[in-house]
Amino acid sequence: MTTKVKKAVFPVGGLGTRFLPATKAMPKEMMPVVDKPLIHYAVEEAVAAGIEEFIFVTGRGKSAIEDHFDHSYELRDELAARNKTVEIAELDAWLPPAGAVAYTRQQVPKGLGHAVWCARNLVGDAPFAVLLADDLVLTDKPCLAQMVEAHIETGGNLVAVMDVPREHTGRYGVLDPGETRGRLVEVRGLVEKPAPAEAPSTLSVIGRYILQPEVFGHLESQVPGAGGEIQLTDALARMIGGDPFHGFRYDGKRFDCGDKVGFIQANIAFALARDDLRGGVSAYLKSLDLGA
Ligand code: G1P
């Protein structure tokens, strides 16, 4: 029987230099898409997938994330004084229960693999999820919930995958795919950020993983890879051939919010998906004379 996935790791230590000056005094994970910070979407997605413990691997200058998931007395008092009961109820609705959130710091930015390894003592000895807040998926059924369901059947390691244009393989972990069964693709190999000519396919990992705790042992001894960083992909590649290992073609549209164009697209798409904003935003888009 597959063990239930109860814990999720959110690596949020990155500097966010691509969004300076917005990220000078604010974590990149607090950048809002419409009216919610990126990290808020990631936590909501984890909750929808049945996650009960939320582990943030933070770094310097990330305290706004801790404040965001904390009770805010000042804000509540202000809202109460103005009889804003709906807003208070909304704030209470998504606040994780006391003790459900844990923070640990990645002291030195040594890469995604190192960030995940920093969570090893908090995760312990059970399968866990990893969510990268930069990757936002617009879909009816949240991406991680789809994966948790698939994982009940597959067990082992499961990574969310999508096809990317070949010229973009250098931005992703790329699969050497084996047999396909519905949304599942057997993983025969994994390469981090291969040049287009060397990529084994165009099927690429996006920032949603369900992993076996054995990955921590591999991360412990992992030597730096692409970009001189300790790569999660490299440690995962060493697990192929052991437990089942699948890519999962999730249902939904993924936005790369670590990229300015992707971030702007996400804002438009998430606004258009909302009843209260669709009219105004689509009217504006239609009014644009973009030329031929
Ligand atoms: C990370 C992973 C990469 C994965 C990507 C998804 O890269 O290392 O394998 O495909 O996330 O967004 P990063 O975007 O942090 O460079």
Side-chain angles (χ1 to χ4, degrees):
M1 210 188 81
T2 332
T3 319
K4 191 170 177 288
V5 183
K6 287 196 193 141
K7 300 189 184 189
V9 174
F10 303 85
V12 291
L15 290 176
T17 47
R18 279 198 272 173
F19 276 92
L20 282 170
T23 50
K24 181 164 181 253
M26 178 184 78
K28 65 171 176 165
E29 297 79 10
M30 289 301 291
M31 302 246 303
V33 167
V34 184
D35 54 7
K36 270 190 249 174
L38 286 169
I39 190 65
H40 190 123
Y41 285 98
V43 168
E44 267 185 353
E45 186 178 329
V47 170
I51 299 296
E52 294 167 10
E53 292 182 44
F54 309 85
I55 301 162
F56 292 80
V57 182
T58 70
R60 296 177 65 79
K62 299 283 180 169
S63 52
I65 296 175
E66 296 181 41
D67 291 340
H68 185 76
F69 292 104
D70 193 7
H71 190 86
S72 171
Y73 290 98
E74 302 87 342
L75 180 59
R76 275 185 76 95
D77 288 352
E78 282 294 327
L79 292 172
R82 297 181 206 174
N83 283 323
K84 301 243 181 215
T85 45
V86 174
E87 286 79 358
I88 293 177
E90 275 172 7
L91 282 181
D92 287 346
W94 57 259
L95 199 65
V101 187
Y103 300 91
T104 187
R105 275 198 183 193
Q106 183 185 24
Q107 294 150 325
V108 187
K110 287 191 190 171
L112 177 61
H114 179 257
V116 170
W117 179 75
C118 289
R120 66 200 179 283
N121 291 332
L122 294 164
V123 170
D125 193 24
F128 64 104
V130 177
L131 294 97
L132 307 185
D134 275 359
D135 283 319
L136 196 53
V137 184
L138 183 59
T139 171
D140 290 336
K141 182 166 186 171
C143 182
L144 189 67
Q146 296 176 37
M147 292 175 72
V148 163
E149 213 166 83
H151 190 256
I152 291 169
E153 188 203 328
T154 62
N157 292 305
L158 189 66
V159 295
V161 294
M162 66 180 258
D163 268 305
V164 303
R166 188 162 273 276
E167 63 268 28
H168 292 172
T169 56
R171 302 179 188 175
Y172 299 94
V174 179
L175 262 66
D176 179 2
E179 270 177 39
T180 293
R181 193 161 38 88
R183 295 192 174 278
L184 295 170
V185 186
E186 186 198 340
V187 179
R188 284 204 187 133
L190 262 181
V191 194
E192 179 68 5
K193 301 194 168 77
E198 273 117 55
S201 76
T202 55
L203 200 55
S204 304
V205 178
I206 68 144
R208 301 287 182 278
Y209 308 76
I210 296 179
L211 303 178
Q212 295 301 315
E214 286 72 30
V215 71
F216 293 120
H218 293 284
L219 285 169
E220 177 101 36
S221 59
Q222 189 59 53
V223 293
E229 297 190 332
I230 296 177
Q231 297 291 354
L232 179 60
T233 304
D234 295 344
L236 292 177
R238 289 161 61 196
M239 297 173 81
I240 296 167
D243 282 337
F245 201 145
H246 293 92
F248 179 75
R249 290 182 195 266
Y250 58 92
D251 176 40
K253 168 111 182 79
R254 172 260 190 182
F255 296 91
D256 177 5
C257 293
D259 169 77
K260 280 177 197 155
V261 173
F263 179 72
I264 292 163
Q265 287 173 343
N267 270 282
I268 295 170
F270 276 72
L272 290 175
R274 282 208 2 198
D275 292 342
D276 57 334
L277 299 175
R278 188 180 307 113
V281 175
S282 65
Y284 173 66
L285 292 174
K286 279 182 203 144
S287 77
L288 294 176
D289 181 6
L290 296 174

